């Protein structure tokens, strides 16, 4: 096995977590994969993998080698794409990351169309409401909502979602419907206890501004829990409209105080710091942008931080 093939075998071992998984993906025998990794370790003079009863774990040297090897493989794939032309299909593996509920509602339904466009591409979807370390998790592109506090991230703003106050009609029938932001103080609130949520909100109407700190017996650290708490009539909530897009359309939940504006929530495509976003990562970010905002997918330089995007006129996302 040549040097590049051995490097690819090692990357597949890390990504699948086993020699057998890598062998299946590469369609070669497991002994050939084991031999390739052993040859790399012998050539470098360092241990790359720790073999335990629980599986394979990369050493610090192994993790560093994986990150650089994966980058090299991506660059070779991009060189192939450039040589074949812009219409060439993507191939290999793409790792994306997004919040659980956002992915379930607004990524997974569109994934079949993306995979149909690129039949040689495999996709790993990492679901986490927290902001995972992209380098450590081997993520190519993440979709994140809210303000980006880490200025070192390579990111592109692809649109905005509006925030609303909402609850079920049965909750409002029992507790009454707030007419002003200060009326919210008399209500039970389901509070999303993650970045982009919280209890303190500023409402604006023309030149008027009202600050309200919600009160509630239920705090939830995942959007799925917020949805179920609202459906169970545990209270109203301040939420991005995307989280309840279908239910707002069907009337299962109803928005109130719509003549007052809440701060919108930004949607970003975020790429690992320190290297250019891969063709696959940019293609996926552009695809999602087109699907959610009805825009033509225009390849944008992912290094242009905070580039604005124009959204669709209706729906949970807007300019």
């Amino acid at each position: 096995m040549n040097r590049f093939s051995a490097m690819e075998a090692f990357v597949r071992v890390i990504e699948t977590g086993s020699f057998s998984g890598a062998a299946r993906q590469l369609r070669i025998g497991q002994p050939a994969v084991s031999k390739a990794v052993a040859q790399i370790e012998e050539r470098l003079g360092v241990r790359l993998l720790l073999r335990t009863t629980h599986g394979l774990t990369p050493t610090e040297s192994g993790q560093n080698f994986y990150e650089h090897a994966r980058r090299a493989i991506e660059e070779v794939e991009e060189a192939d794409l450039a040589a074949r032309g812009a219409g060439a299909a993507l191939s290999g593996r793409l790792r994306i990351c997004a919040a659980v509920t956002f992915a379930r509602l607004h990524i997974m339904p569109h994934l079949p169309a993306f995979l149909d466009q690129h039949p040689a591409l495999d996709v790993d979807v990492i679901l986490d409401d927290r902001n995972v370390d992209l380098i450590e998790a081997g993520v190519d592109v993440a979709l994140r909502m809210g303000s980006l506090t880490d200025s070192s991230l390579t990111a592109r703003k692809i649109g905005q979602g509006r925030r609303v106050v909402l609850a079920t009609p049965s909750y409002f029938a029992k507790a009454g419907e707030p007419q002003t932001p200060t009326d919210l103080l008399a209500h039970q609130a389901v509070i999303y206890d993650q970045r982009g949520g919280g209890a303190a909100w500023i409402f604006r109407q023309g030149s008027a501004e009202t600050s309200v700190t919600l009160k509630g017996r239920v705090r939830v650290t995942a959007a799925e829990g917020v949805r179920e708490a609202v459906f169970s009539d545990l209270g109203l909530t301040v939420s991005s409209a995307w989280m309840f897009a279908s239910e707002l359309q069907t009337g299962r939940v109803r928005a109130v105080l719509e003549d007052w504006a809440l701060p919108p929530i930004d949607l970003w495509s975020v790429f690992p710091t320190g290297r250019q976003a891969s063709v696959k990562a940019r293609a996926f970010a552009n695809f999602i942008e087109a699907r959610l905002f009805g825009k033509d997918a225009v390849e944008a330089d992912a290094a242009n931080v905070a580039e604005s995007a124009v959204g669709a006129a209706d729906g949970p996302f807007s300019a």
Side-chain angles (χ1 to χ4, degrees):
M1 188 175 291
N2 63 39
R3 187 169 177 176
F4 181 83
S5 297
M7 186 167 59
E8 185 177 22
F10 177 79
V11 167
R12 296 296 180 94
V13 168
I14 296 298
E15 292 180 343
T16 62
S18 68
F19 291 112
S20 59
R24 284 193 299 271
Q25 286 193 0
L26 295 171
R27 298 181 180 179
I28 60 176
Q30 181 175 332
V33 175
S34 300
K35 182 178 180 181
V37 174
Q39 287 175 342
I40 295 174
E41 290 181 325
E42 182 179 356
R43 177 171 57 83
L44 297 177
V46 296
R47 177 65 62 86
L48 299 178
L49 292 173
L50 296 177
R51 300 159 179 82
T52 69
T53 56
H54 300 291
L56 299 173
T57 302
T59 63
E60 182 178 356
S61 296
Q63 185 64 34
N64 289 334
F65 183 79
Y66 164 75
E67 291 168 3
H68 286 83
R70 188 165 180 265
R71 188 183 314 170
I73 292 169
E74 288 175 351
E75 290 175 350
V76 169
E77 291 175 349
E78 292 187 21
D80 289 345
L81 285 172
R84 292 200 300 265
L90 302 176
S91 62
R93 182 167 298 274
L94 173 70
R95 287 174 65 84
I96 63 178
C97 181
V100 178
T101 304
F102 181 80
R104 180 173 69 82
L105 296 176
H106 299 291
I107 294 180
M108 305 309 289
H110 299 301
L111 203 53
F114 183 72
L115 292 176
D116 285 346
Q117 290 179 15
H118 308 288
L121 185 67
D122 296 326
V123 175
D124 294 340
V125 184
I126 300 170
L127 302 181
D128 201 318
D129 281 2
R130 300 165 299 176
N131 289 343
V132 303
D133 185 310
L134 302 188
I135 296 293
E136 183 177 336
V139 171
D140 298 293
V141 56
L143 294 175
R144 290 184 176 172
M145 309 289 288
S147 300
L148 299 182
T149 56
D150 187 350
S151 60
S152 67
L153 287 172
T154 301
R156 180 166 62 90
K157 179 180 169 183
I158 62 176
Q160 286 184 330
R162 60 191 180 95
R163 282 190 174 99
V164 292
V165 179
L166 57 81
T168 60
S170 55
Y171 171 81
F172 287 132
K174 177 180 64 177
E177 186 172 315
Q179 303 299 312
T180 68
T182 54
D183 291 345
L184 296 173
L185 298 176
H187 284 261
Q188 282 293 313
V190 178
I191 297 171
Y192 181 44
D193 205 12
Q194 286 282 6
R195 182 176 300 169
W201 296 97
I202 296 175
F203 292 78
R204 291 186 174 88
Q205 185 183 69
S207 59
E209 183 175 290
T210 301
S211 178
V212 175
T213 300
L214 303 176
K215 300 176 182 178
R217 299 173 62 191
V218 179
R219 288 178 176 263
V220 187
T221 59
E224 286 291 286
V226 174
R227 282 171 51 85
E228 293 306 315
V230 169
F231 297 151
S232 300
D233 296 333
L234 288 175
L236 51 74
T237 195
V238 175
S239 168
S240 52
W242 63 260
M243 193 190 296
F244 291 88
S246 175
E247 292 79 14
L248 284 166
Q249 290 182 341
T250 63
R252 187 179 182 186
V253 297
R254 190 169 77 246
V256 296
L257 301 178
E258 293 194 276
D259 53 343
W260 288 82
L262 283 158
I265 186 166
D266 296 329
L267 175 62
W268 303 83
S269 54
V270 183
F271 306 90
T273 304
R275 61 184 173 96
Q276 184 179 5
S278 69
V279 169
K280 290 178 288 190
R282 294 198 304 271
F284 180 78
N286 290 335
F287 173 84
I288 289 297
E289 182 177 4
R291 287 284 172 145
L292 296 186
F293 297 94
K295 296 177 61 180
D296 291 333
V298 178
E299 282 211 3
D301 183 355
N304 288 337
V305 178
E307 176 185 337
S308 296
V310 178
D314 54 7
F317 300 98
S318 61

